Amino acid sequence: MKIKIAIAEDNALLAQSIKEKLELFRDAIFFKFKASNGQHLIELLKNDNNVDVILMDIEMPIMDGIKATEIVKDNYPQIKIIILTVFDDEDKIFRAIQAGANGYLLKDEPPNIILEGIKDIVSGGAPMSPTIATKAIELLRNPEKRKPNKYFENFSLSKRETEVLEQLSKGLNYKNIAVNLFISPSTVRKHIENIYKKLHVSNKMKAVLKAQKHNLI
């Protein structure tokens, strides 16, 4: 079955170029539509959300790609989103991941790499250009490199949940966290479920990034 693709890109020539690159793989890809900005994308999805993957630009007028990503993931969580952009700075990487992006590729990647990224994301992967992956890992290791956010929310995390988050930020698994905190793995799992609910996230990486963003850990 072909993978159904949509594009959100304000540069018409660039959008056409991306579309033409994808059409080299007609046996694997079916192009649905292209949107000129985030708001246009949301309007198109209201009429047809039978899309597997969206290739999303960041800098667009009216509504940027990060805000559009957040809205798409809230309303159509089954749709995978690959940020396809020229930007590789830490703040945009962080914000895109926070918004729910499943992958992050640079526009200068060759067509076969973009295709592999699309296939990977449909299979549950999280494709990233090497430079983006390096910066994402660096962000996790050194969150102080991000500019401090002026606005902090109170997520009402308990002391134990904060301790579990700190352990997660060190890359530890449930079993190791349980040993370190003298609790059972099932209790760790329950704390993590509560953390996800309170932070409104769906995985460990997002939980840690959001906690760091809001100075929770």
Side-chain angles (χ1 to χ4, degrees):
M1 185 177 293
K2 294 183 180 181
I3 302 170
K4 298 178 287 294
I5 300 293
I7 298 173
E9 168 63 63
D10 64 311
N11 184 317
L13 290 176
L14 191 51
Q16 184 60 31
S17 173
I18 295 169
K19 181 175 179 290
E20 289 173 358
K21 285 181 179 180
L22 295 178
E23 286 177 340
L24 295 171
F25 310 103
R26 287 192 181 94
D27 58 329
I29 298 292
F30 177 75
F31 178 76
K32 295 288 298 252
F33 53 76
K34 65 174 184 275
S36 56
N37 58 64
Q39 184 173 304
H40 186 205
L41 173 70
I42 302 305
E43 291 169 357
L44 290 172
L45 286 172
K46 287 178 182 177
N47 296 322
D48 181 4
N49 58 56
N50 184 22
V51 174
D52 297 314
V53 180
I54 296 171
L55 300 179
M56 184 85 75
D57 187 25
I58 288 183
E59 294 291 343
M60 295 185 288
I62 304 177
M63 182 188 292
D64 67 22
I66 292 175
K67 181 61 178 177
T69 294
E70 187 177 344
I71 293 173
V72 171
K73 298 306 285 188
D74 282 345
N75 290 280
Y76 314 103
Q78 77 282 4
I79 297 177
K80 306 294 185 181
I81 296 179
I82 297 177
I83 299 294
L84 191 62
T85 181
V86 297
F87 298 101
D88 65 350
D89 65 89
E90 287 87 349
D91 185 63
K92 286 185 170 63
I93 296 170
F94 182 91
R95 289 169 56 214
I97 292 172
Q98 281 291 308
N102 305 97
Y104 201 121
L105 298 175
L106 296 176
K107 286 178 179 175
D108 59 3
E109 296 285 9
N112 64 303
I113 296 299
I114 295 176
L115 175 64
E116 288 306 311
I118 291 170
K119 288 181 175 179
D120 185 23
I121 213 167
V122 169
S123 301
M128 284 191 178
S129 294
T131 56
I132 299 296
T134 299
K135 290 190 176 187
I137 292 170
E138 188 66 19
L139 269 176
L140 284 172
R141 289 176 177 164
N142 302 290
E144 68 278 1
K145 286 191 173 183
R146 285 200 75 248
K147 296 176 183 177
N149 194 313
K150 295 178 182 178
Y151 306 101
F152 299 103
E153 297 179 50
N154 179 14
F155 296 99
S156 301
L157 294 179
S158 68
K159 181 181 178 182
R160 179 61 86 187
E161 287 165 352
T162 301
E163 290 172 344
V164 170
L165 257 177
E166 289 173 343
Q167 297 285 309
L168 280 178
S169 70
K170 297 174 183 176
L172 301 178
N173 59 30
Y174 288 12
K175 186 175 180 180
N176 290 335
I177 293 173
V179 170
N180 289 346
L181 298 182
F182 303 101
I183 55 179
S184 68
S186 61
T187 301
V188 172
R189 186 172 291 105
K190 185 62 179 176
H191 282 311
I192 291 174
E193 288 174 2
N194 290 336
I195 289 167
Y196 287 0
K197 288 177 184 177
K198 290 181 179 181
L199 297 184
H200 305 291
V201 297
S202 56
N203 61 48
K204 294 177 186 178
M205 184 176 186
K206 290 179 184 177
V208 171
L209 286 172
K210 193 162 189 176
Q212 291 170 341
K213 176 182 178 182
H214 292 273
N215 284 353
L216 300 177
I217 56 175

